[in-house]
Amino acid sequence: MRNIINRIFLLSLFWVSCECEQTKFCQEALENARMCEAMAYPINSNVKEAQVLKSTESTPVTVNKHQEKTLFLITPTYTRGTQLAELTIMASSLAPVKNVVWIIVEQFRQSHHVTEFLSTCNTTHYHIVGKTRRGNLCNGLRNSALEFMRRYRNVFKDGVIHFANTDRVYSPSAFEEMRKVEHVGIWPTQRARERFTCNPKLTLQSSYYVKYRLNIGSVGLSIDAVLDSGYKFKISESDTQGLGGLIAELVDDVEDLEVISCDGRFVWYIRFQR
């Protein structure tokens, strides 16, 4: 009889423990759902509570639940033959990475095929729209992402921004390196046209059109510094020029740049056929 009573007692403790864990899980799921708002779709299709945020409503709770810095990756995209292939490669790189927020900015509209694809991913994301019609589309779409982030500053803070084009391929270690950035950090992008050495003064030899000539895959920036700067990319400039202008807003000279890696092989530039 005593053994039976002990078993019943242990089973009751187990049931209470499981119920607590389920409650905790539900609370976390609901909290994650509230974050997916304003032109954003929840990355987990099992979360039913998420609703589109109206402009008059309060903003969601902050994303960062971990001690390490949050990575905010901005990816411009537009309809073309390789669009889903490129997004698949990026999503695969991000899948094992913790504490990352992926902002996909699509030209004109949230296309059904991209929305459907993102619903199968397990990375926290925002799928928003940019209205750029001419010039450097990627620069225009980056501006849309920055405007969106400034609109919800209580969420987008305390982390690192990286402009993750879909023609860059990342190893898992790349994202851990990015977390080291304090203000403006740099590292090499393999196969990129822009020269990179361990000495920023040699890497960043000024040209007639841009002082900080770095590949867009080679830079991580403090999210607070970027959003506070109010900087806007010019659609008349290249990616390199636009990024160089942003860096010039944030640092006084090359000595202010943080060399995160001299020869790291964790970001590659691979040009897809259009």
Side-chain angles (χ1 to χ4, degrees):
M1 175 66 78
R2 180 175 296 177
N3 289 337
I4 293 174
I5 293 173
N6 287 338
R7 289 181 181 178
I8 293 173
F9 177 70
L10 290 174
L11 285 172
S12 66
L13 289 178
F14 176 76
W15 180 83
V16 171
S17 175
C18 289
E19 188 174 44
C20 290
E21 287 301 316
Q22 289 173 354
T23 301
K24 180 181 178 182
F25 173 80
C26 291
Q27 289 175 343
E28 290 180 353
L30 183 58
E31 186 175 348
N32 287 336
R34 292 194 185 106
M35 288 162 32
C36 300
E37 40 156 293
M39 299 182 295
Y41 287 84
I43 201 67
N44 188 343
S45 59
N46 294 324
V47 179
K48 305 298 185 182
E49 295 86 351
Q51 297 180 349
V52 176
L53 179 74
K54 296 179 181 179
S55 60
T56 57
E57 293 177 348
S58 59
T59 54
V61 296
T62 183
V63 171
N64 192 357
K65 298 179 182 178
H66 305 274
Q67 291 183 350
E68 69 268 20
K69 294 176 182 175
T70 303
L71 300 180
F72 299 93
L73 306 188
I74 296 174
T75 298
T77 186
Y78 50 92
T79 301
R80 58 192 183 282
T82 60
Q83 184 180 29
L84 281 184
E86 295 171 6
L87 290 174
T88 298
I89 293 172
M90 184 68 70
S92 299
S93 298
L94 295 178
V97 183
K98 295 181 179 180
N99 204 21
V100 61
V101 177
W102 189 19
I103 301 171
I104 303 94
V105 198
E106 191 168 12
Q107 185 188 27
F108 297 147
R109 61 189 176 88
Q110 293 171 324
S111 62
H112 175 73
H113 63 278
V114 172
T115 300
E116 185 176 31
F117 165 75
L118 291 173
S119 70
T120 67
C121 304
N122 59 0
T123 298
T124 300
H125 78 274
Y126 293 84
H127 182 195
I128 68 175
V129 174
K131 299 296 185 182
T132 303
R133 295 179 178 274
R134 57 187 176 83
N136 185 335
L137 298 181
C138 289
N139 276 351
L141 296 178
R142 291 184 190 107
N143 286 335
S144 297
L146 294 177
E147 289 171 8
F148 175 70
M149 297 170 82
R150 289 183 179 114
R151 182 181 177 189
Y152 299 109
R153 280 302 305 275
N154 69 322
V155 172
F156 299 108
K157 61 182 180 180
D158 302 327
V160 176
I161 283 182
H162 175 67
F163 298 103
N165 281 13
T166 54
D167 53 6
R168 300 326 187 260
V169 177
Y170 299 83
S171 72
S173 61
F175 304 105
E176 298 314 311
E177 294 294 323
M178 291 179 192
R179 296 190 206 276
K180 298 177 182 178
V181 173
E182 295 296 331
H183 194 62
V184 179
I186 62 175
W187 55 83
T189 294
Q190 305 300 319
R191 298 172 56 87
R193 292 189 298 270
E194 292 82 0
R195 181 185 178 190
F196 193 100
T197 71
C198 287
N199 185 341
K201 289 186 177 181
L202 295 178
T203 299
L204 305 175
Q205 292 177 343
S206 299
S207 67
Y208 70 96
Y209 65 94
V210 59
K211 180 177 181 180
Y212 300 100
R213 192 171 186 271
L214 285 160
N215 187 272
I216 204 157
S218 295
V219 181
L221 311 106
S222 160
I223 186 172
D224 296 318
V226 172
L227 298 185
D228 288 344
S229 72
Y231 181 80
K232 290 187 177 181
F233 288 84
K234 295 179 180 179
I235 62 173
S236 60
E237 294 183 341
S238 68
D239 289 0
T240 301
Q241 288 174 293
L243 180 63
L246 174 56
I247 295 173
E249 289 282 327
L250 303 183
V251 302
D252 294 325
D253 208 343
V254 293
E255 286 82 2
D256 298 325
L257 297 176
E258 310 149 35
V259 180
I260 303 301
S261 174
C262 293
D263 53 6
R265 293 181 175 272
F266 41 74
V267 183
W268 286 263
Y269 168 66
I270 298 178
R271 185 171 179 80
F272 287 86
Q273 279 190 325
R274 302 302 184 194

